[in-house]
Amino acid sequence: MAEEIKVGCARPTGGPVGEPSPVPEEKPQQQIKEVKTMLTVGKKAPDFTSPAYHKGKFVSVKLSEYLGKWVILCFYPGDFTFV
Amino acid sequence: MSVDSVFVHKMWNDHELSKMVQGGVPFAMLSDGGGKVGSVYGVYLEDAGVEARGRFIIDPDGVIQGFEVLTPPVGRNIGESFRQIQAFQHVRNSKGAEATPSGWKPGKLTLKPGPDLVGKVWEVWKTGMAFD
């Protein structure tokens, strides 16, 4: 039977259950250090394009189109949660 | 921006948010399926498949001036975001000649950093000014 879940502030998620899938044979791992560029204040905000809903229309938004303006870029866990 | 599709954004805006804000959300609601943009900004929570409450202030040159990231259960203080933007705008308009100390709000005292101010902040800025 489906169990009722507690609804929190983030979308409920699931995942695969049961035996873990066979681990792929380990190749001699090259130690590739992933250099993740940390975001830093005083540095350029990474540009992106993103589909968006804006005033009744579906549009494509590009961050760099807002050059010349102040921008607040806000992430949140999911629609129908607070901000 | 969230991992929801633009269709869900539309439903949320049209059926709930427009009941809180007249005319609905005035700004673009961005969709980041898979969290690709969120990953670049360091706010995508892989295990949950959602984005944390990240907020970035980006100036007219496209430079990040500040950010704040919270885990999902705690909401933000919108007034503080506005205060920070006002402070960054003030500093920018002064071409860096002025700085805004703790608790600064428009109309409050700013500082003019320079050799003469070193060791003298206590004379002009009082701790009570950090609070409203």
Side-chain angles (χ1 to χ4, degrees):
Chain A
M1 270 303 278
E3 217 178 295
E4 197 175 348
I5 53 167
K6 251 179 80 182
V7 176
C9 319
R11 305 198 294 190
T13 49
V17 289
E19 277 181 50
S21 46
V23 181
E25 228 177 285
E26 260 191 58
K27 291 179 198 150
Q29 276 213 339
Q30 280 179 298
Q31 278 281 348
I32 302 172
K33 259 216 176 150
E34 210 182 312
V35 185
K36 251 198 176 169
T37 44
M38 256 302 275
L39 282 191
T40 317
V41 288
K43 298 275 189 233
K44 286 263 181 194
D47 197 12
F48 61 83
T49 61
S50 158
Y53 179 62
H54 191 202
K55 291 182 179 160
K57 291 198 171 99
F58 295 125
V59 294
S60 177
V61 166
K62 191 174 189 198
L63 179 66
S64 51
E65 283 169 2
Y66 288 83
L67 284 173
K69 291 182 174 179
W70 287 87
V71 172
I72 287 196
L73 176 62
C74 227
F75 295 87
Y76 59 96
D79 289 349
F80 298 98
T81 75
F82 54 86
V83 171
Chain B
M1 174 173 277
S2 76
V3 297
D4 299 282
S5 74
V6 289
F7 307 119
V8 183
H9 283 344
K10 175 176 162 54
M11 285 297 124
W12 189 29
N13 177 71
D14 296 1
H15 296 283
E16 186 172 44
L17 297 179
S18 58
K19 291 173 181 145
M20 302 178 191
V21 181
Q22 220 190 343
V25 175
F27 45 80
M29 300 171 74
L30 310 183
S31 170
D32 185 25
K36 281 180 279 187
V37 178
S39 297
V40 174
Y41 278 78
V43 298
Y44 182 63
L45 308 173
E46 229 162 83
D47 290 346
V50 299
E51 278 155 1
R53 296 185 195 280
R55 182 231 60 189
F56 297 78
I57 295 177
I58 301 167
D59 77 8
D61 298 321
V63 171
I64 299 173
Q65 291 296 344
F67 58 81
E68 174 189 66
V69 185
L70 308 177
T71 53
V74 171
R76 289 171 267 226
N77 184 337
I78 308 298
E80 172 60 7
S81 294
F82 282 135
R83 189 199 69 83
Q84 287 181 19
I85 288 192
Q86 288 172 319
F88 282 121
Q89 288 177 334
H90 189 97
V91 169
R92 188 179 170 94
N93 289 340
S94 79
K95 303 218 182 323
E98 292 178 46
T100 63
S102 302
W104 183 88
K105 286 200 294 196
K108 274 186 159 181
L109 170 107
T110 58
L111 299 178
K112 294 173 185 65
D116 295 343
L117 189 64
V118 179
K120 298 274 172 53
V121 172
W122 69 275
E123 289 181 6
V124 290
W125 187 84
K126 311 295 174 194
T127 48
M129 294 162 84
F131 310 97
D132 288 331

